[in-house]
Amino acid sequence: MNIGEAAKASGVSAKMIRYYESVGVIPAAQRSESGYRRYDDAAIHTLRFVRRARDLGFSVEDITRLLALWRDRNRSSADVKALALAHIKTLQGKIAAMEDMVATLRHLAEHCHGDARPDCPILEDLAGTGEDVAAR
Amino acid sequence: MNIGEAAKASGVSAKMIRYYESVGVIPAAQRSESGYRRYDDAAIHTLRFVRRARDLGFSVEDITRLLALWRDRNRSSADVKALALAHIKTLQGKIAAMEDMVATLRHLAEHCHGDARPDCPILEDLAGTGEDVAAR
DNA sequence: CCTTGACCTTCCCATTGTTGGAAGGTCCAT
DNA sequence: ATGGACCTTCCAACAATGGGAAGGTCAAGG
C-alpha cells in the first residue's frame, strides 16, 4: 500500500504519517524502487494504534512510549496503566480548569441582560470594576 | 512605569505585553526618550483586563473584540453576552470530548491488573485486539 | 509511444500562545 | 567609569496539524 491508501485504511492523514515517521513515533517505512513509502498490514495496524491513542488524547510522546510497550513482550502492565492514569490526571486537570471558567462565565452571562444597552457585568468583571457579581 | 513594573502590576509577562502589542490586542505603548515603553494606570487596567480574559480562556482574538466592546460606550450588552456564550459552548465541547476520553481510559485502566505481567487491556484496546473490554 | 491525471516526494510556511535566548542599548548607584 | 538591572529587537522553539509549491512516478487511454 502507498501512503494514501495507508492513510485511508488507518484514519491517519498522509501528512501525519510522514510527520510521525519524522519524529520517530513510527519506524521509517519501507520504500519502493522509486522512493514511495510502502505499508504492509503490520504497519497499518501500528498506524491504527496511533490513531486510537490520539483519539484518547495521548501526546505524541506518550504514544511513542505506548508503542514501545506494545512491542515489548516483557512489559509490565503496571507501566502501561501508570501512563494511562497519569494521562487521566492531566485530562482531569484541564477539565477542572475549564469547568471553573464555564462556571464563572455562566454566572456572569446570567447577570447580563443581553440587550441593546451597554451595561454588562461580564465586561465589568473583566475590567475589575464589577465589585463582584456575587462572589467569584 | 516601565514594562517590567507593568508586568508585575498586571500579571502579564513583559514578553506577553510586547506580543499583545505586536498583534494589536493592545495599542502601542508610549515611548520614553530612549525608546522604553511607558505604561500609565489606564494601560495597566487594560492589561489586567487582558489577563483576566485569558484566565477565562478567551482567545487573543476574542479578547481583542472584548476590549473593543469595553471601549465602546455604545456597545450593546447582547454582543458581549453572545461572545461569552459562544466561548462557553466551545469550552463545553472540549470538556465533553475530554470527559469521553477519561471515561474510556478509566474503564480500560480499571480492567488492567497493573502488575508485572504483560497482559493489558489498555494496549489491547489501542491495538484493536481487545474484542471490546465490555462495550466502549 | 505519449499524454494526462492522480499520486508520490521533499521543503517551507502558518497556526496559537508562550517562553527562551542573543546581541545590544539605557539607567542608576557606587 | 563600571556594573548590574533593566530595556530594546529579532530569532527560535514547543505540539500537532494543514496548506501549498516544485518536482518525480505510475497507470490508463488515445
Side-chain angles (χ1 to χ4, degrees):
Chain A
M1 289 171 115
N2 283 342
I3 199 169
E5 301 164 273
K8 261 176 214 154
S10 66
V12 180
S13 74
K15 280 272 189 197
M16 279 300 103
I17 294 177
R18 293 194 196 97
Y19 171 72
Y20 291 143
E21 182 183 312
S22 82
V23 297
V25 173
I26 53 175
Q30 302 286 99
R31 297 292 185 128
S32 71
E33 291 286 312
S34 55
Y36 282 22
R37 268 170 267 248
R38 314 301 326 252
Y39 298 87
D40 57 18
D41 286 356
I44 301 297
H45 200 178
T46 302
L47 286 172
R48 286 224 193 85
F49 184 105
V50 174
R51 176 77 215 288
R52 177 99 184 109
R54 286 279 327 126
D55 287 349
L56 287 176
F58 283 104
S59 70
V60 161
E61 199 184 343
D62 280 353
I63 296 175
T64 307
R65 292 199 202 110
L66 286 169
L67 277 172
L69 289 167
W70 185 38
R71 279 188 287 257
D72 178 5
R73 314 208 141 266
N74 295 318
R75 71 190 164 238
S76 59
S77 62
D79 289 346
V80 183
K81 190 168 183 173
L83 245 157
L85 291 178
H87 181 44
I88 289 174
K89 258 194 192 151
T90 302
L91 287 172
Q92 283 174 332
K94 289 183 184 173
I95 289 170
M98 289 192 187
E99 273 172 349
D100 284 354
M101 294 176 192
V102 168
T104 302
L105 285 165
R106 215 158 39 192
H107 182 75
L108 291 172
E110 264 166 31
H111 291 262
C112 172
H113 296 301
D115 56 19
R117 286 172 299 167
D119 326 276
C120 177
I122 301 170
L123 289 180
E124 280 162 21
D125 179 276
L126 289 171
T129 327
E131 314 307 333
D132 107 75
V133 182
R136 14 168 137 105
Chain B
M1 291 170 113
N2 285 342
I3 199 169
E5 302 164 273
K8 260 176 214 155
S10 66
V12 179
S13 74
K15 282 273 190 196
M16 278 300 102
I17 296 176
R18 293 195 196 96
Y19 172 72
Y20 291 143
E21 181 183 313
S22 81
V23 298
V25 173
I26 55 175
Q30 302 287 99
R31 298 290 185 129
S32 72
E33 292 286 311
S34 55
Y36 283 20
R37 269 169 267 248
R38 313 302 326 254
Y39 297 87
D40 57 18
D41 286 355
I44 302 296
H45 200 179
T46 302
L47 286 171
R48 286 224 193 86
F49 183 106
V50 174
R51 175 78 215 288
R52 176 100 184 108
R54 287 274 332 121
D55 286 349
L56 288 175
F58 283 104
S59 69
V60 162
E61 200 185 343
D62 279 353
I63 296 175
T64 307
R65 291 200 203 109
L66 286 168
L67 277 172
L69 288 166
W70 185 38
R71 280 188 286 257
D72 178 5
R73 314 208 141 267
N74 295 318
R75 72 193 163 236
S76 56
S77 63
D79 289 347
V80 184
K81 190 168 183 174
L83 245 156
L85 292 178
H87 182 44
I88 289 175
K89 261 196 190 148
T90 302
L91 288 171
Q92 284 175 332
K94 289 183 185 172
I95 289 170
M98 290 191 185
E99 274 173 347
D100 284 354
M101 294 176 191
V102 168
T104 302
L105 286 164
R106 216 159 36 192
H107 182 74
L108 291 171
E110 265 167 30
H111 292 261
C112 173
H113 297 301
D115 56 18
R117 285 172 299 166
D119 326 277
C120 178
I122 301 170
L123 289 180
E124 281 162 20
D125 180 275
L126 289 171
T129 328
E131 316 303 335
D132 109 73
V133 182
R136 12 167 139 108

